[in-house]
Amino acid sequence: MDPSRDNPDLTEERRKAKFDPEKLGNFFWQGQLKRRRQICDYVQAQGTELAPAQPVPFMTRMEKLEDVARLSVGMRKHAENVIDVGSPQEQFYFNSLICGYDGSPFHLHFIMALPAMINNCDEEQAAEWLPKLFNCEIIATYVQTEMGHGTNLKALETTATYDASRQEFVFNSPTITSTKWWPGNLGKTANFAVVMAQLYTNGKCYGAHPFWVQLRDIETHKPLPGITVGDIGPKFGIGSNDNGFLRFNNYRIPRMHMLMKHAKVLPSGEYVPPMHSKVGYTSMMYVRSVMGEIRPGAGEVKVLDYQTQQYRLFPQIARVYAIAFTGIYIMDMYKSVMANINAGDASLLSDLHSLGSGLKSVTSWQTSLGIEQCRMACGGHGYSEASGLPALYTMAVGGCTYEGENMVMLLQCARSLMKLAAELRSSDRINQRDGKKCANPVTGYLYNVSPPQKCRISQESGPDAYLEAFEHVARRNVFRAYERLDQLRKRGRSAEEAWNESGVELTKASKAHTMNFLAKTFVERTKLMDDPASRAVLENFVSLFLSYELLHCAEPLLEDSFISAQQMEYVRLKMYDSMQRIRPNAVTVVDSFDFTDAELKSVLGRRDGNVYEHLLEWAQKSPINAHDVLPFHDKYLGNYMKETLCRVWHRAIHCRVQSQRARPRHFCCSAHFGSPLTQLTAHIDPFIAQKQ
Amino acid sequence: MDPSRDNPDLTEERRKAKFDPEKLGNFFWQGQLKRRRQICDYVQAQGTELAPAQPVPFMTRMEKLEDVARLSVGMRKHAENVIDVGSPQEQFYFNSLICGYDGSPFHLHFIMALPAMINNCDEEQAAEWLPKLFNCEIIATYVQTEMGHGTNLKALETTATYDASRQEFVFNSPTITSTKWWPGNLGKTANFAVVMAQLYTNGKCYGAHPFWVQLRDIETHKPLPGITVGDIGPKFGIGSNDNGFLRFNNYRIPRMHMLMKHAKVLPSGEYVPPMHSKVGYTSMMYVRSVMGEIRPGAGEVKVLDYQTQQYRLFPQIARVYAIAFTGIYIMDMYKSVMANINAGDASLLSDLHSLGSGLKSVTSWQTSLGIEQCRMACGGHGYSEASGLPALYTMAVGGCTYEGENMVMLLQCARSLMKLAAELRSSDRINQRDGKKCANPVTGYLYNVSPPQKCRISQESGPDAYLEAFEHVARRNVFRAYERLDQLRKRGRSAEEAWNESGVELTKASKAHTMNFLAKTFVERTKLMDDPASRAVLENFVSLFLSYELLHCAEPLLEDSFISAQQMEYVRLKMYDSMQRIRPNAVTVVDSFDFTDAELKSVLGRRDGNVYEHLLEWAQKSPINAHDVLPFHDKYLGNYMKETLCRVWHRAIHCRVQSQRARPRHFCCSAHFGSPLTQLTAHIDPFIAQKQ
């Protein structure tokens, strides 16, 4: 580090600072600034041993998995040399320096599996498994989520059926949707797992319970017979985590592998309920589980029936129409402007240029945000590249930058709006009545000499009153920006300084101008639909667009009392009403876009809706799944698990029990993941107390 | 396609539709629905020949480049069989079905290079090169953007210096920042390019002009001596496009390769300016170029001096503090709640749970949006994985979904708020004065029996008046949601239906409740900073946070006239004022976070600010750049270019000139990219007219 070779712009910036960054930094890091630097220096001094083999973006997923296995084993040798392994902050920093932030093979082991075992093992189980877990003689994960069910514990379908004749539980995945899906490190790393499954005994179901399930052979690391396990395939990010899937086919575990701290199944098959209901795992999960239903007991409803889901998705469809219809309009306008120019009339050229800049910016950003909302509305599966949505987003969001960065585009649009505003402010009223200018479809509204001063929206009003409101927002924002510019000029700023200091207001003017045009064009184009049933559908989307978008730019309407609180309420009611009207036609509207499966390349967005079997099929094609055991497994994780030296556990227990130090050094292992040590301590303390 | 096997939920939805999707679809696609299906059927009938070799997400970038080369050559054999090659819509659809939407090797050739040549070639140049370009005997791209300069044409640094003794132009890349960067298909595909460079002749610079530059050998496809060209490395998306870099080292081209339709350089070196200024390329680019300066002539300023850039970045830093400080508070609260529970008092548990749910949702989304703003604020380079921002985003945005989907979390937070609201509405006023409840740091504000009815924000007011406003928003949203619930119940909805139909309002209540807590905690924690200079810095961020966030939730404040228009103006002025105060310390504030380069893994976010040389170094490590010529080049593109059968050109000209059909079939070639045919027609028509 040689500051004299720094970029001089940065050096100048640093020189100008009016405070000491060490002091602010130390406050931010709660006094740990010095420690952070010691840790960083140590890691860097180890060179390639604790550094990525190459920049991560150049690695294939296989290479990422290998490198993080190498690093996560490597860092353990060093942890106690440099960090206080009892400090979550230090652990977290140490881990992020070496393994990055995409997870490591031990991530779920410590953050989920170990706490779940501590919480749910009875004494005998704890004595057998906790030492192995702390020692990493095995690597475990926590397996709850199924393909068809996220947070709804009651809906889990995996079954664990007690067979009294052999004192075993028989695991099955009776449907495609029961396939366990998403657990981190499940695909290739973990050889054991805490698995949530519906417990059946003596012919009765007692609900979801946790079981301790071996997945892979300790020696060979191969999946055991009856187990199908693999990687779920590439995701939007976190490529170095082998999030996995798991299916059971008459897979048997001993009775004693049901985790029996709370509920039990006796050898006879008799179910012994927990002393208190909702203890242990259930207490944490119950609340989340009840969110899965609208009417309790009626089962899971279609996600489209949730108002919050409609609110996410339907406005995006409305925007599709508004944007597509405006695109058609603009293409026609382009042709007619070109024809006019050839005939010697370039009067509409600047409007076209300005509008094009505004539309480029507003629509590319709305499109990107919309794709992300759709992706997140799919829950976890949207994050998988199987959904096609990650690639769609990264492609579309590029449009916010290339061919004119969006902020620059908005300012360019504002250029011509400000020219127009200056003209209008300086010209007399007669000129403003110029019929041709008032009729201009893009800027005509600015020439209106007597625009309405009060909003006319009522409970029954159609699009016109809404369009007036959009015009009001646009007019107001344009002239406000102009006045700010003008005032700054009068206060002595140069034209360029005034322009810069008005930047944010100028972009607001451009956005409002553009939104006004989108709204107007959507309304106009919809009138051209001659099939009444289809036009009724479009009109619902027009209503939604007008109400939804108006609520998102209501501030100027309210600020000068153009709109009343009562009218705002009408707008909201219109929005909710539009969503309800859209609901029954929603799927068919999406059908009508006629996007084929071949074009969408999405396992989720498929015509037949049979998403789960195809998701499983898709994942199985992943190159990672060409190997039951990854080629580098033995070299790093396999070898590490077999070095069974009771590495940490004994020290941990002894240290904790004997010294009663506030920060025992017994969580060296947890340095892998920056675990919430507080939580882990809360789990382990009662267990240790028992042992004393 | 067998609808009887469709997911029955979807079938039911389709059955319920009240309109005919064929009619709406045909309106949306402007009457082209039937054609789309014919095209799709044709493509699917070709099987693997026109389909990706495997799902795109499983491919490495090298595999993606190979597959799109195969497909883009393959589709040309079929285009005329199935599409009207004069229809941009059909071209676009055909292309997207086969090549996807990430671009293809011919993308820039048709969309940029060919129009640039038509616009800038003189007659002789046109006669020589246009047939070759239409025929794809060569593949060209358009090269303007440099590493250090996006849209500012005047700032380009690449030089083309005329050497009269040899009648050649000598090209050089005098600095790192002059490296051409980003042009699509430049890395490995194009063997020619239209290159923008500063023209020097007889010792004088005449500004940026277009030149026709051969990059690679026609036979071997190897870069020519004096040319360094390669792929810029992986990006957020569009992995199948070889966006490239290009450097010149005394590379010579013939004088006649300056594109001389407008300006000329005579053999003597005399410069002949264009007949009209700002013609041709300059007319399109001039406007964009003037956006690069605040004071014309003063050169490019630091991007941080743009108000719009500050508006993008500084609020994100403010949020970092608000979120981090709240994190510290929550961890302390967690510990004390746990201690209380052990002492038998669980009164704060539901507050903690509820607040945690709200914070999880609000902060994960703010963080994700903030990262995207930072990425886009870096312009094009933010889109490169070199910036580290794409990976940061994909990791962070996962947090909006996992461990409790954000909408679900907001509804969970609302659960306890609604319980509280019901309690407060039903209890008498005495209870509400309960001192302990009023003092509750999370929900105490809801117990306030006499909250201010008017906002106290003035030009001078500090945080307290702002915090009152946040409390007002939260209180209002909470009780509005409660009242909606209550009304729906009174109108006969079940509790669950009412809850669902209030979903959006409930999430707004949770967000406002959470924002209120974030604001309050930020203000409080800042008081603990004992270094006055650092505290002053933090206070500016507090001011920015309070003003920026309040402007983004102002609707409820305005709607019930809590705040006046004048006060809104004070809030805006506070925001602009805070940004100005932050500006001089901005870089050092970011330094004070003490993130090391090793941790950030960003070529842009580096301490020394020397981004450009490291960007070039980084790109050169890309696996794609291990090959000067990609291993599959000859098989697809190389072979295709050499099949010089005057494939399209003659037919094109003849067809156009002789038949005068409205939609000539002369753009078969353009079917590669879904080109804006209108634009291309506008370019080619005058050229054809000349030929007649």
Side-chain angles (χ1 to χ4, degrees):
Chain A
M1 185 164 105
D2 174 5
S4 73
R5 302 180 64 180
D6 287 359
N7 181 317
D9 283 350
L10 271 185
T11 304
E12 186 198 341
E13 291 288 333
R14 284 170 175 142
R15 201 178 39 71
K16 282 192 310 193
K18 301 280 200 306
F19 73 104
D20 179 357
E22 301 287 305
K23 288 181 179 159
L24 183 55
N26 210 34
F27 182 72
F28 185 81
W29 290 113
Q30 304 175 259
Q32 297 299 307
L33 202 57
K34 196 174 148 197
R35 284 293 295 139
R36 281 173 58 90
R37 292 181 184 167
Q38 289 169 343
I39 295 166
C40 182
D41 290 346
Y42 179 93
V43 170
Q44 300 210 309
Q46 310 312 312
T48 53
E49 186 183 346
L50 297 185
Q54 60 172 318
V56 176
F58 300 146
M59 299 187 201
T60 63
R61 271 198 75 216
M62 190 68 97
E63 289 166 340
K64 287 180 190 177
L65 290 170
E66 174 163 2
D67 213 43
V68 80
R70 175 182 68 85
L71 291 168
S72 64
V73 170
M75 69 184 274
R76 300 195 55 155
K77 294 189 201 153
H78 292 276
E80 292 196 62
N81 299 341
V82 57
I83 64 166
D84 173 356
V85 291
S87 156
Q89 288 91 346
E90 294 193 8
Q91 287 172 35
F92 186 85
Y93 183 59
F94 185 60
N95 181 76
S96 73
L97 279 176
I98 298 168
C99 294
Y101 39 66
D102 282 353
S104 76
F106 297 95
H107 192 83
L108 273 285
H109 178 84
F110 285 110
I111 211 164
M112 292 290 285
L114 192 47
M117 286 294 276
I118 292 168
N119 266 346
N120 291 290
C121 282
D122 68 17
E123 256 197 70
E124 197 181 331
Q125 291 167 332
E128 182 175 357
W129 295 109
L130 294 190
K132 290 187 168 68
L133 283 162
F134 274 103
N135 272 351
C136 298
E137 292 169 38
I138 54 186
I139 302 178
T141 185
Y142 178 85
V143 174
Q144 176 180 316
T145 310
E146 296 178 356
M147 216 182 221
H149 321 282
T151 50
N152 190 351
L153 202 63
K154 287 195 240 171
L156 294 183
E157 296 179 87
T158 302
T159 56
T161 308
Y162 185 62
D163 172 359
S165 70
R166 291 169 59 177
Q167 296 207 27
E168 286 173 342
F169 288 99
V170 187
F171 274 68
N172 274 297
S173 304
T175 60
I176 290 283
T177 48
S178 73
T179 308
K180 295 291 185 183
W181 203 266
W182 276 108
N185 305 135
L186 170 63
K188 298 293 164 181
T189 303
N191 51 6
F192 277 81
V194 176
V195 175
M196 297 299 292
Q198 302 293 349
L199 165 61
Y200 284 82
T201 179
N202 292 339
K204 192 176 162 194
C205 178
Y206 291 90
H209 285 70
F211 297 85
W212 180 233
V213 178
Q214 183 171 355
L215 305 175
R216 290 170 175 271
D217 183 83
I218 293 282
E219 287 307 313
T220 65
H221 202 64
K222 285 192 180 156
L224 295 169
I227 297 277
T228 306
V229 67
D231 182 270
I232 63 164
K235 296 141 292 186
F236 202 7
I238 56 168
S240 62
N241 195 321
D242 56 319
N243 299 77
F245 65 83
L246 173 63
R247 289 184 59 79
F248 298 101
N249 181 15
N250 287 319
Y251 182 72
R252 288 173 171 269
I253 64 170
R255 182 182 66 89
M256 279 310 297
H257 282 205
M258 173 180 170
L259 297 176
M260 299 215 192
K261 184 171 182 179
H262 307 296
K264 294 182 208 307
V265 169
L266 303 181
S268 65
E270 186 190 338
Y271 179 77
V272 182
M275 298 257 287
H276 312 281
S277 68
K278 301 183 194 174
V279 293
Y281 67 95
T282 44
S283 67
M284 293 178 63
M285 292 162 189
Y286 181 77
V287 182
R288 285 168 60 174
S289 73
V290 297
M291 309 302 293
E293 304 172 355
I294 290 180
R295 294 178 200 76
E300 289 191 295
V301 300
K302 289 176 186 164
V303 288
L304 264 185
D305 287 325
Y306 289 100
Q307 190 192 57
T308 46
Q309 195 78 347
Q310 295 172 7
Y311 186 71
R312 267 184 148 157
L313 296 174
F314 294 173
Q316 314 309 332
I317 302 176
R319 285 174 169 183
V320 167
Y321 284 118
I323 293 172
F325 290 174
T326 304
I328 295 168
Y329 185 97
I330 286 285
M331 187 51 79
D332 291 344
M333 184 174 168
Y334 179 81
K335 287 175 192 164
S336 95
V337 167
M338 289 300 154
N340 287 351
I341 287 176
N342 290 340
D345 171 13
S347 61
L348 284 173
L349 186 62
S350 81
D351 285 351
L352 177 65
H353 175 74
S354 158
L355 182 63
S357 303
L359 281 168
K360 187 272 180 194
S361 178
V362 169
T363 62
S364 62
W365 181 233
Q366 282 196 348
T367 303
S368 304
L369 274 181
I371 295 167
E372 275 297 74
Q373 284 301 326
C374 292
R375 190 183 62 70
M376 290 191 281
C378 296
H381 295 322
Y383 193 76
S384 167
E385 288 205 36
S387 72
L389 290 161
L392 204 59
Y393 176 73
T394 58
M395 182 274 292
V397 79
C400 297
T401 303
Y402 64 66
E403 300 306 321
E405 195 281 324
N406 273 2
M407 282 282 189
V408 175
M409 287 294 103
L410 289 175
L411 291 172
Q412 213 165 107
C413 175
R415 245 334 137 193
S416 74
L417 291 175
M418 291 305 106
K419 209 175 133 190
L420 194 56
E423 209 177 279
L424 284 164
R425 279 286 187 257
S426 67
S427 67
D428 57 37
R429 299 224 137 204
I430 305 296
N431 274 342
Q432 293 185 36
R433 282 205 198 86
D434 179 326
K436 194 176 162 199
K437 287 180 174 174
C438 288
N440 179 310
V442 183
T443 53
Y445 73 96
L446 290 169
Y447 289 88
N448 188 344
V449 285
S450 54
Q453 296 302 306
K454 286 289 171 192
C455 178
R456 294 191 301 135
I457 289 171
S458 69
Q459 208 152 3
E460 294 80 28
S461 59
D464 288 352
Y466 282 82
L467 291 180
E468 280 174 11
F470 280 101
E471 284 191 0
H472 185 84
V473 175
R475 191 183 300 112
R476 182 180 151 95
N477 283 10
V478 166
F479 285 111
R480 277 180 65 90
Y482 175 75
E483 275 142 28
R484 186 174 160 97
L485 267 180
D486 196 46
Q487 280 166 21
L488 288 166
R489 287 287 279 154
K490 285 178 181 150
R491 275 188 248 149
R493 302 288 207 288
S494 73
E496 295 76 19
E497 286 163 344
W499 183 263
N500 184 38
E501 287 177 45
S502 307
V504 174
E505 300 297 326
L506 289 165
T507 60
K508 285 184 185 170
S510 299
K511 279 186 217 168
H513 174 71
T514 307
M515 282 308 297
N516 176 47
F517 187 76
L518 280 164
K520 191 173 146 181
T521 310
F522 190 4
V523 170
E524 288 304 314
R525 183 95 196 163
T526 295
K527 293 177 184 162
L528 303 181
M529 175 78 227
D530 54 15
D531 173 54
S534 296
R535 193 170 58 244
V537 170
L538 283 180
E539 281 164 354
N540 289 333
F541 282 105
V542 167
S543 290
L544 177 60
F545 185 85
L546 295 174
S547 52
Y548 179 89
E549 300 292 356
L550 203 64
L551 288 172
H552 283 80
C553 63
E555 177 200 311
L557 294 173
L558 287 158
E559 204 172 320
D560 59 5
S561 304
F562 180 82
I563 201 170
S564 70
Q566 179 61 59
Q567 288 172 314
M568 285 291 289
E569 192 60 26
Y570 293 148
V571 178
R572 272 188 287 268
L573 292 175
K574 169 84 94 177
M575 182 179 76
Y576 293 129
D577 180 58
S578 309
M579 297 201 303
Q580 281 192 334
R581 287 171 191 268
I582 287 167
R583 170 65 191 90
N585 288 315
V587 165
T588 310
V589 164
V590 172
D591 282 347
S592 82
F593 289 120
D594 196 54
F595 290 120
T596 56
D597 290 354
E599 201 175 358
L600 290 182
K601 296 178 174 70
S602 166
V603 174
L604 301 188
R606 46 188 310 115
R607 193 203 57 76
D608 67 13
N610 296 321
V611 299
Y612 296 114
E613 46 271 57
H614 288 96
L615 194 53
L616 182 58
E617 188 188 315
W618 182 90
Q620 285 171 327
K621 289 180 194 156
S622 165
I624 304 296
N625 288 328
H627 311 268
D628 265 347
V629 179
L630 297 182
F632 48 83
H633 175 78
D634 286 344
K635 189 170 174 192
Y636 301 115
L637 300 175
N639 187 43
Y640 187 75
M641 285 191 276
K642 283 166 189 160
E643 294 172 351
T644 51
L645 306 171
C646 285
R647 284 174 285 239
V648 184
W649 172 251
H650 288 159
R651 211 167 50 244
I653 294 293
H654 290 160
C655 178
R656 183 69 173 162
V657 172
Q658 291 165 10
S659 76
Q660 299 292 329
R661 286 169 54 203
R663 276 187 169 175
R665 294 174 63 81
H666 69 277
F667 289 113
C668 173
C669 44
S670 64
H672 276 286
F673 60 93
S675 76
L677 185 71
T678 325
Q679 190 193 343
L680 215 52
T681 309
H683 293 307
I684 188 90
D685 277 0
F687 178 79
I688 291 173
Q690 279 180 333
K691 291 278 168 199
Q692 281 183 292
Chain B
M1 186 163 102
D2 173 6
S4 73
R5 302 180 64 182
D6 288 358
N7 181 316
D9 284 350
L10 272 185
T11 304
E12 186 197 342
E13 291 287 334
R14 285 171 175 142
R15 201 178 39 72
K16 282 192 310 191
K18 300 282 201 304
F19 73 105
D20 178 357
E22 301 287 304
K23 289 182 180 160
L24 183 55
N26 210 33
F27 182 73
F28 185 80
W29 290 113
Q30 304 175 61
Q32 297 299 308
L33 203 57
K34 195 173 148 199
R35 284 294 294 141
R36 282 173 56 90
R37 291 182 184 166
Q38 288 169 343
I39 296 167
C40 182
D41 289 346
Y42 180 92
V43 170
Q44 300 209 310
Q46 309 313 312
T48 55
E49 186 184 346
L50 297 184
Q54 59 173 318
V56 177
F58 300 145
M59 299 188 200
T60 64
R61 270 199 74 217
M62 190 69 97
E63 290 166 339
K64 287 179 189 175
L65 290 170
E66 174 164 1
D67 212 42
V68 81
R70 174 182 70 85
L71 292 168
S72 63
V73 170
M75 68 185 275
R76 298 196 59 155
K77 294 189 200 153
H78 293 277
E80 292 196 64
N81 299 341
V82 56
I83 64 166
D84 173 355
V85 291
S87 156
Q89 288 91 342
E90 294 193 8
Q91 285 172 35
F92 186 84
Y93 183 59
F94 187 60
N95 181 75
S96 73
L97 279 177
I98 297 168
C99 293
Y101 39 67
D102 281 354
S104 76
F106 297 95
H107 192 82
L108 273 285
H109 178 82
F110 285 108
I111 210 163
M112 292 289 284
L114 192 48
M117 286 295 275
I118 292 170
N119 267 347
N120 290 289
C121 281
D122 66 17
E123 257 198 69
E124 198 181 330
Q125 292 168 332
E128 183 174 359
W129 296 109
L130 294 190
K132 290 188 168 66
L133 284 162
F134 274 103
N135 272 351
C136 297
E137 292 170 38
I138 54 184
I139 302 178
T141 185
Y142 178 84
V143 174
Q144 174 180 316
T145 310
E146 296 178 357
M147 215 182 221
H149 321 282
T151 51
N152 189 349
L153 203 64
K154 287 195 239 172
L156 295 183
E157 294 179 88
T158 302
T159 56
T161 308
Y162 185 62
D163 173 356
S165 71
R166 291 170 60 177
Q167 296 207 27
E168 287 174 342
F169 288 98
V170 186
F171 274 68
N172 273 296
S173 305
T175 59
I176 290 283
T177 48
S178 73
T179 308
K180 294 292 183 183
W181 203 266
W182 276 109
N185 305 135
L186 171 63
K188 299 293 165 184
T189 302
N191 50 7
F192 277 81
V194 175
V195 176
M196 297 299 294
Q198 301 293 348
L199 165 61
Y200 283 83
T201 180
N202 293 338
K204 194 176 161 195
C205 178
Y206 290 91
H209 285 71
F211 298 86
W212 181 233
V213 179
Q214 184 172 355
L215 305 174
R216 291 171 175 269
D217 183 84
I218 293 281
E219 286 308 312
T220 64
H221 203 63
K222 284 192 182 156
L224 295 169
I227 297 277
T228 307
V229 67
D231 181 272
I232 62 165
K235 295 141 295 185
F236 201 6
I238 55 168
S240 63
N241 194 321
D242 55 321
N243 299 78
F245 65 83
L246 172 63
R247 288 185 60 78
F248 299 102
N249 181 15
N250 287 319
Y251 182 73
R252 287 173 172 267
I253 65 169
R255 182 182 67 90
M256 279 310 298
H257 282 204
M258 174 178 169
L259 297 177
M260 298 217 194
K261 183 172 186 179
H262 306 295
K264 294 182 205 308
V265 169
L266 304 181
S268 64
E270 186 189 339
Y271 178 77
V272 182
M275 299 257 286
H276 310 282
S277 67
K278 302 181 192 174
V279 293
Y281 68 96
T282 44
S283 67
M284 293 179 65
M285 292 162 190
Y286 181 77
V287 183
R288 285 168 61 173
S289 74
V290 298
M291 308 303 293
E293 304 172 354
I294 289 180
R295 291 176 202 79
E300 288 190 295
V301 301
K302 289 176 186 164
V303 288
L304 263 186
D305 288 324
Y306 290 99
Q307 190 192 56
T308 45
Q309 195 78 346
Q310 294 171 10
Y311 186 71
R312 265 185 151 157
L313 296 173
F314 295 172
Q316 313 309 332
I317 303 176
R319 286 173 168 182
V320 167
Y321 284 117
I323 293 171
F325 290 174
T326 304
I328 295 167
Y329 185 98
I330 286 286
M331 187 51 79
D332 290 346
M333 186 174 167
Y334 179 81
K335 287 175 191 162
S336 95
V337 167
M338 289 301 155
N340 287 351
I341 287 175
N342 289 340
D345 171 12
S347 61
L348 284 174
L349 185 62
S350 81
D351 285 351
L352 177 66
H353 176 72
S354 158
L355 182 63
S357 303
L359 281 168
K360 187 275 180 192
S361 177
V362 169
T363 62
S364 62
W365 181 234
Q366 283 196 347
T367 302
S368 304
L369 273 182
I371 294 169
E372 274 297 75
Q373 284 300 325
C374 292
R375 189 183 63 69
M376 290 190 280
C378 294
H381 295 323
Y383 194 76
S384 167
E385 288 205 36
S387 71
L389 290 161
L392 205 58
Y393 176 73
T394 56
M395 182 273 293
V397 80
C400 296
T401 303
Y402 64 67
E403 299 307 321
E405 196 281 322
N406 273 1
M407 282 284 188
V408 175
M409 287 294 103
L410 288 174
L411 291 172
Q412 212 165 109
C413 176
R415 243 340 133 190
S416 74
L417 291 174
M418 291 306 105
K419 209 176 134 191
L420 194 56
E423 208 177 279
L424 284 163
R425 278 286 186 261
S426 67
S427 67
D428 59 35
R429 299 223 137 206
I430 306 295
N431 272 342
Q432 294 185 36
R433 282 206 197 86
D434 179 327
K436 194 177 162 197
K437 286 181 174 172
C438 288
N440 179 311
V442 183
T443 53
Y445 72 96
L446 290 170
Y447 289 88
N448 189 343
V449 286
S450 54
Q453 296 302 306
K454 285 288 170 192
C455 179
R456 294 191 302 133
I457 288 173
S458 70
Q459 207 153 5
E460 295 79 29
S461 61
D464 286 353
Y466 282 82
L467 292 179
E468 279 173 13
F470 280 101
E471 285 190 359
H472 185 83
V473 176
R475 191 183 301 111
R476 182 179 151 94
N477 284 8
V478 166
F479 285 112
R480 276 181 64 90
Y482 176 75
E483 275 143 29
R484 185 174 161 96
L485 267 180
D486 197 45
Q487 280 167 20
L488 287 166
R489 287 287 279 153
K490 285 176 182 153
R491 276 190 248 146
R493 303 289 204 286
S494 73
E496 296 75 20
E497 286 164 343
W499 182 262
N500 183 38
E501 286 176 43
S502 307
V504 174
E505 300 297 327
L506 288 165
T507 62
K508 286 184 184 171
S510 298
K511 281 187 215 167
H513 175 71
T514 306
M515 281 309 297
N516 176 47
F517 187 77
L518 279 163
K520 188 173 149 182
T521 310
F522 190 3
V523 169
E524 288 304 315
R525 183 93 196 164
T526 295
K527 293 178 185 162
L528 302 181
M529 174 78 228
D530 53 15
D531 172 53
S534 295
R535 194 171 56 245
V537 170
L538 284 180
E539 281 164 355
N540 289 332
F541 283 105
V542 167
S543 291
L544 177 60
F545 184 85
L546 296 174
S547 50
Y548 179 90
E549 300 291 356
L550 204 62
L551 288 172
H552 284 80
C553 64
E555 177 198 312
L557 294 173
L558 287 158
E559 203 170 321
D560 60 3
S561 306
F562 181 80
I563 201 170
S564 70
Q566 179 60 59
Q567 287 173 315
M568 284 292 288
E569 192 60 26
Y570 294 147
V571 178
R572 273 189 286 268
L573 292 174
K574 169 83 95 178
M575 182 179 76
Y576 294 129
D577 180 60
S578 309
M579 296 202 303
Q580 280 193 334
R581 287 170 192 270
I582 286 166
R583 170 65 190 88
N585 289 316
V587 165
T588 310
V589 164
V590 172
D591 282 348
S592 81
F593 289 120
D594 197 54
F595 290 120
T596 57
D597 290 354
E599 201 175 358
L600 290 182
K601 297 179 175 68
S602 166
V603 173
L604 301 188
R606 45 189 310 116
R607 192 203 57 77
D608 66 14
N610 296 322
V611 298
Y612 296 114
E613 46 273 57
H614 289 96
L615 195 51
L616 182 57
E617 190 187 314
W618 182 89
Q620 285 171 326
K621 288 181 197 158
S622 163
I624 304 295
N625 288 327
H627 311 268
D628 265 346
V629 179
L630 297 182
F632 48 82
H633 173 78
D634 287 343
K635 189 171 174 192
Y636 301 114
L637 301 175
N639 187 44
Y640 187 75
M641 285 191 277
K642 283 166 192 163
E643 293 173 351
T644 50
L645 305 173
C646 286
R647 283 173 286 240
V648 183
W649 175 251
H650 288 159
R651 211 167 50 242
I653 293 294
H654 291 159
C655 177
R656 182 69 170 161
V657 172
Q658 291 164 10
S659 77
Q660 298 293 329
R661 286 170 54 204
R663 276 187 170 176
R665 293 174 64 82
H666 70 279
F667 289 112
C668 173
C669 45
S670 64
H672 275 287
F673 59 95
S675 76
L677 184 71
T678 325
Q679 192 191 344
L680 215 53
T681 308
H683 293 307
I684 188 90
D685 278 358
F687 178 78
I688 291 173
Q690 278 179 336
K691 290 277 170 203
Q692 281 183 291

